[in-house]
mmCIF file of all heavy atoms in Angstrom:
data_model
loop_
_atom_site.group_PDB
_atom_site.id
_atom_site.type_symbol
_atom_site.label_atom_id
_atom_site.label_comp_id
_atom_site.label_asym_id
_atom_site.label_seq_id
_atom_site.Cartn_x
_atom_site.Cartn_y
_atom_site.Cartn_z
ATOM 1 N N ASN A 1472 -9.087 33.195 23.991
ATOM 2 C CA ASN A 1472 -7.968 33.723 24.772
ATOM 3 C C ASN A 1472 -7.148 34.618 23.836
ATOM 4 O O ASN A 1472 -6.100 34.170 23.354
ATOM 5 C CB ASN A 1472 -7.180 32.638 25.458
ATOM 6 C CG ASN A 1472 -6.140 33.174 26.347
ATOM 7 O OD1 ASN A 1472 -5.952 34.347 26.594
ATOM 8 N ND2 ASN A 1472 -5.333 32.208 26.922
ATOM 9 N N PRO A 1473 -7.408 35.905 23.698
ATOM 10 C CA PRO A 1473 -6.718 36.777 22.739
ATOM 11 C C PRO A 1473 -5.214 36.852 23.121
ATOM 12 O O PRO A 1473 -4.442 37.084 22.268
ATOM 13 C CB PRO A 1473 -7.390 38.151 22.953
ATOM 14 C CG PRO A 1473 -8.668 37.832 23.542
ATOM 15 C CD PRO A 1473 -8.565 36.630 24.360
ATOM 16 N N GLN A 1474 -4.839 36.763 24.386
ATOM 17 C CA GLN A 1474 -3.383 36.897 24.744
ATOM 18 C C GLN A 1474 -2.583 35.719 24.189
ATOM 19 O O GLN A 1474 -1.380 35.845 24.022
ATOM 20 C CB GLN A 1474 -3.288 36.989 26.226
ATOM 21 C CG GLN A 1474 -3.889 38.220 26.823
ATOM 22 C CD GLN A 1474 -3.899 38.188 28.373
ATOM 23 O OE1 GLN A 1474 -3.799 37.087 28.940
ATOM 24 N NE2 GLN A 1474 -3.972 39.337 28.978
ATOM 25 N N ALA A 1475 -3.219 34.647 23.973
ATOM 26 C CA ALA A 1475 -2.479 33.390 23.457
ATOM 27 C C ALA A 1475 -2.377 33.392 21.987
ATOM 28 O O ALA A 1475 -1.802 32.490 21.370
ATOM 29 C CB ALA A 1475 -3.197 32.124 23.915
ATOM 30 N N ARG A 1476 -2.912 34.382 21.254
ATOM 31 C CA ARG A 1476 -2.940 34.331 19.827
ATOM 32 C C ARG A 1476 -1.553 34.209 19.196
ATOM 33 O O ARG A 1476 -1.381 33.293 18.382
ATOM 34 C CB ARG A 1476 -3.624 35.626 19.290
ATOM 35 C CG ARG A 1476 -3.924 35.621 17.815
ATOM 36 C CD ARG A 1476 -4.538 36.945 17.353
ATOM 37 N NE ARG A 1476 -5.561 37.463 18.176
ATOM 38 C CZ ARG A 1476 -6.843 37.362 17.970
ATOM 39 N NH1 ARG A 1476 -7.275 36.804 16.817
ATOM 40 N NH2 ARG A 1476 -7.769 37.798 18.863
ATOM 41 N N GLY A 1477 -0.603 34.906 19.589
ATOM 42 C CA GLY A 1477 0.738 34.778 19.059
ATOM 43 C C GLY A 1477 1.426 33.469 19.437
ATOM 44 O O GLY A 1477 2.160 32.891 18.666
ATOM 45 N N ARG A 1478 1.243 33.121 20.672
ATOM 46 C CA ARG A 1478 1.949 31.869 21.188
ATOM 47 C C ARG A 1478 1.500 30.611 20.395
ATOM 48 O O ARG A 1478 2.226 29.746 20.047
ATOM 49 C CB ARG A 1478 1.715 31.704 22.650
ATOM 50 C CG ARG A 1478 2.461 32.648 23.465
ATOM 51 C CD ARG A 1478 2.364 32.345 24.905
ATOM 52 N NE ARG A 1478 0.883 32.633 25.238
ATOM 53 C CZ ARG A 1478 0.373 32.700 26.381
ATOM 54 N NH1 ARG A 1478 1.116 32.397 27.392
ATOM 55 N NH2 ARG A 1478 -0.943 32.905 26.619
ATOM 56 N N HIS A 1479 0.183 30.514 20.086
ATOM 57 C CA HIS A 1479 -0.335 29.406 19.389
ATOM 58 C C HIS A 1479 0.215 29.270 17.996
ATOM 59 O O HIS A 1479 0.563 28.253 17.428
ATOM 60 C CB HIS A 1479 -1.871 29.368 19.370
ATOM 61 C CG HIS A 1479 -2.454 28.973 20.724
ATOM 62 N ND1 HIS A 1479 -2.327 27.744 21.262
ATOM 63 C CD2 HIS A 1479 -3.197 29.757 21.608
ATOM 64 C CE1 HIS A 1479 -2.931 27.727 22.425
ATOM 65 N NE2 HIS A 1479 -3.450 28.952 22.643
ATOM 66 N N ARG A 1480 0.194 30.416 17.342
ATOM 67 C CA ARG A 1480 0.699 30.520 15.953
ATOM 68 C C ARG A 1480 2.117 30.114 15.808
ATOM 69 O O ARG A 1480 2.574 29.514 14.812
ATOM 70 C CB ARG A 1480 0.519 31.948 15.436
ATOM 71 C CG ARG A 1480 -0.818 32.268 14.946
ATOM 72 C CD ARG A 1480 -0.941 31.746 13.597
ATOM 73 N NE ARG A 1480 -2.197 32.096 13.012
ATOM 74 C CZ ARG A 1480 -2.847 31.313 12.288
ATOM 75 N NH1 ARG A 1480 -2.454 30.094 12.000
ATOM 76 N NH2 ARG A 1480 -4.000 31.675 11.739
ATOM 77 N N ALA A 1481 2.929 30.330 16.842
ATOM 78 C CA ALA A 1481 4.380 30.045 16.729
ATOM 79 C C ALA A 1481 4.709 28.750 17.351
ATOM 80 O O ALA A 1481 5.894 28.545 17.659
ATOM 81 C CB ALA A 1481 5.173 31.236 17.409
ATOM 82 N N SER A 1482 3.695 27.875 17.492
ATOM 83 C CA SER A 1482 3.972 26.570 18.111
ATOM 84 C C SER A 1482 5.067 25.813 17.276
ATOM 85 O O SER A 1482 5.055 25.847 16.037
ATOM 86 C CB SER A 1482 2.784 25.748 18.272
ATOM 87 O OG SER A 1482 2.343 25.234 16.999
ATOM 88 N N TYR A 1483 5.918 25.095 17.998
ATOM 89 C CA TYR A 1483 6.993 24.357 17.386
ATOM 90 C C TYR A 1483 6.457 23.259 16.473
ATOM 91 O O TYR A 1483 6.926 23.163 15.345
ATOM 92 C CB TYR A 1483 7.847 23.718 18.494
ATOM 93 C CG TYR A 1483 8.927 22.789 17.950
ATOM 94 C CD1 TYR A 1483 10.033 23.320 17.347
ATOM 95 C CD2 TYR A 1483 8.776 21.460 17.953
ATOM 96 C CE1 TYR A 1483 11.009 22.493 16.864
ATOM 97 C CE2 TYR A 1483 9.673 20.614 17.459
ATOM 98 C CZ TYR A 1483 10.872 21.137 16.903
ATOM 99 O OH TYR A 1483 11.813 20.331 16.293
ATOM 100 N N PHE A 1484 5.436 22.599 16.815
ATOM 101 C CA PHE A 1484 4.964 21.505 16.031
ATOM 102 C C PHE A 1484 4.414 21.940 14.696
ATOM 103 O O PHE A 1484 4.681 21.403 13.658
ATOM 104 C CB PHE A 1484 3.813 20.721 16.757
ATOM 105 C CG PHE A 1484 3.253 19.606 16.006
ATOM 106 C CD1 PHE A 1484 3.998 18.519 15.789
ATOM 107 C CD2 PHE A 1484 2.015 19.696 15.450
ATOM 108 C CE1 PHE A 1484 3.447 17.368 15.064
ATOM 109 C CE2 PHE A 1484 1.426 18.679 14.735
ATOM 110 C CZ PHE A 1484 2.181 17.521 14.563
ATOM 111 N N ALA A 1485 3.624 23.003 14.711
ATOM 112 C CA ALA A 1485 3.006 23.583 13.492
ATOM 113 C C ALA A 1485 4.025 24.039 12.560
ATOM 114 O O ALA A 1485 4.013 23.745 11.362
ATOM 115 C CB ALA A 1485 1.921 24.626 13.825
ATOM 116 N N ASN A 1486 5.017 24.779 13.113
ATOM 117 C CA ASN A 1486 6.039 25.292 12.152
ATOM 118 C C ASN A 1486 6.954 24.190 11.674
ATOM 119 O O ASN A 1486 7.348 24.256 10.475
ATOM 120 C CB ASN A 1486 6.938 26.337 12.930
ATOM 121 C CG ASN A 1486 6.230 27.576 13.233
ATOM 122 O OD1 ASN A 1486 5.298 28.014 12.448
ATOM 123 N ND2 ASN A 1486 6.601 28.257 14.250
ATOM 124 N N ARG A 1487 7.194 23.181 12.477
ATOM 125 C CA ARG A 1487 7.997 22.068 11.931
ATOM 126 C C ARG A 1487 7.263 21.247 10.944
ATOM 127 O O ARG A 1487 7.857 20.934 9.901
ATOM 128 C CB ARG A 1487 8.204 21.142 13.227
ATOM 129 C CG ARG A 1487 9.064 19.913 12.948
ATOM 130 C CD ARG A 1487 10.504 20.224 12.835
ATOM 131 N NE ARG A 1487 11.192 18.974 12.581
ATOM 132 C CZ ARG A 1487 12.434 18.843 12.559
ATOM 133 N NH1 ARG A 1487 13.179 19.833 12.777
ATOM 134 N NH2 ARG A 1487 12.967 17.698 12.303
ATOM 135 N N MET A 1488 5.937 21.090 11.105
ATOM 136 C CA MET A 1488 5.176 20.385 10.060
ATOM 137 C C MET A 1488 5.111 21.164 8.775
ATOM 138 O O MET A 1488 5.294 20.591 7.674
ATOM 139 C CB MET A 1488 3.772 20.100 10.531
ATOM 140 C CG MET A 1488 2.921 19.319 9.584
ATOM 141 S SD MET A 1488 1.271 19.124 10.164
ATOM 142 C CE MET A 1488 1.480 17.552 11.105
ATOM 143 N N LYS A 1489 4.975 22.442 8.825
ATOM 144 C CA LYS A 1489 4.896 23.253 7.657
ATOM 145 C C LYS A 1489 6.218 23.215 6.844
ATOM 146 O O LYS A 1489 6.226 23.081 5.675
ATOM 147 C CB LYS A 1489 4.529 24.713 7.953
ATOM 148 C CG LYS A 1489 3.088 24.915 8.388
ATOM 149 C CD LYS A 1489 2.835 26.373 8.708
ATOM 150 C CE LYS A 1489 1.376 26.547 9.188
ATOM 151 N NZ LYS A 1489 1.058 27.842 9.612
ATOM 152 N N LYS A 1490 7.330 23.249 7.617
ATOM 153 C CA LYS A 1490 8.654 23.159 6.962
ATOM 154 C C LYS A 1490 8.831 21.852 6.316
ATOM 155 O O LYS A 1490 9.355 21.769 5.163
ATOM 156 C CB LYS A 1490 9.712 23.443 8.014
ATOM 157 C CG LYS A 1490 11.137 23.444 7.451
ATOM 158 C CD LYS A 1490 12.207 23.585 8.511
ATOM 159 C CE LYS A 1490 12.366 24.996 8.954
ATOM 160 N NZ LYS A 1490 13.461 25.167 9.859
ATOM 161 N N THR A 1491 8.466 20.780 7.046
ATOM 162 C CA THR A 1491 8.589 19.428 6.436
ATOM 163 C C THR A 1491 7.794 19.264 5.192
ATOM 164 O O THR A 1491 8.190 18.731 4.211
ATOM 165 C CB THR A 1491 8.204 18.374 7.508
ATOM 166 O OG1 THR A 1491 8.990 18.546 8.683
ATOM 167 C CG2 THR A 1491 8.402 16.935 6.964
ATOM 168 N N LEU A 1492 6.588 19.741 5.233
ATOM 169 C CA LEU A 1492 5.644 19.589 4.098
ATOM 170 C C LEU A 1492 6.146 20.436 2.945
ATOM 171 O O LEU A 1492 6.092 19.935 1.752
ATOM 172 C CB LEU A 1492 4.257 20.070 4.448
ATOM 173 C CG LEU A 1492 3.404 19.165 5.382
ATOM 174 C CD1 LEU A 1492 2.146 19.849 5.748
ATOM 175 C CD2 LEU A 1492 3.180 17.817 4.775
ATOM 176 N N SER A 1493 6.720 21.570 3.159
ATOM 177 C CA SER A 1493 7.236 22.347 2.024
ATOM 178 C C SER A 1493 8.538 21.700 1.441
ATOM 179 O O SER A 1493 8.687 21.702 0.241
ATOM 180 C CB SER A 1493 7.549 23.786 2.503
ATOM 181 O OG SER A 1493 8.615 23.777 3.363
ATOM 182 N N ASN A 1494 9.280 21.102 2.282
ATOM 183 C CA ASN A 1494 10.515 20.355 1.724
ATOM 184 C C ASN A 1494 10.055 19.109 0.910
ATOM 185 O O ASN A 1494 10.704 18.797 -0.040
ATOM 186 C CB ASN A 1494 11.363 19.919 2.928
ATOM 187 C CG ASN A 1494 12.092 21.053 3.560
ATOM 188 O OD1 ASN A 1494 12.256 22.128 2.923
ATOM 189 N ND2 ASN A 1494 12.607 20.950 4.736
ATOM 190 N N LEU A 1495 9.064 18.432 1.437
ATOM 191 C CA LEU A 1495 8.593 17.175 0.772
ATOM 192 C C LEU A 1495 7.935 17.494 -0.616
ATOM 193 O O LEU A 1495 8.049 16.742 -1.564
ATOM 194 C CB LEU A 1495 7.601 16.416 1.578
ATOM 195 C CG LEU A 1495 8.286 15.640 2.780
ATOM 196 C CD1 LEU A 1495 7.143 15.043 3.632
ATOM 197 C CD2 LEU A 1495 9.211 14.577 2.288
ATOM 198 N N SER A 1496 7.267 18.647 -0.705
ATOM 199 C CA SER A 1496 6.568 18.985 -1.929
ATOM 200 C C SER A 1496 7.430 19.502 -2.988
ATOM 201 O O SER A 1496 7.028 19.697 -4.121
ATOM 202 C CB SER A 1496 5.386 19.932 -1.610
ATOM 203 O OG SER A 1496 5.910 21.141 -1.153
ATOM 204 N N LYS A 1497 8.710 19.748 -2.704
ATOM 205 C CA LYS A 1497 9.664 20.275 -3.687
ATOM 206 C C LYS A 1497 10.188 19.220 -4.624
ATOM 207 O O LYS A 1497 10.224 18.120 -4.407
ATOM 208 C CB LYS A 1497 10.888 20.925 -2.965
ATOM 209 C CG LYS A 1497 10.460 22.237 -2.308
ATOM 210 C CD LYS A 1497 11.622 22.884 -1.680
ATOM 211 C CE LYS A 1497 11.237 24.132 -0.916
ATOM 212 N NZ LYS A 1497 12.252 24.749 -0.201
#
Side-chain angles (χ1 to χ4, degrees):
N1472 186 1
Q1474 294 173 340
R1476 191 181 315 256
R1478 286 184 294 190
H1479 287 293
R1480 278 277 184 217
S1482 72
Y1483 174 77
F1484 179 73
N1486 287 333
R1487 178 81 179 187
M1488 182 183 271
K1489 286 178 183 177
K1490 183 186 280 188
T1491 302
L1492 290 173
S1493 67
N1494 288 339
L1495 287 174
S1496 63
K1497 290 180 183 177

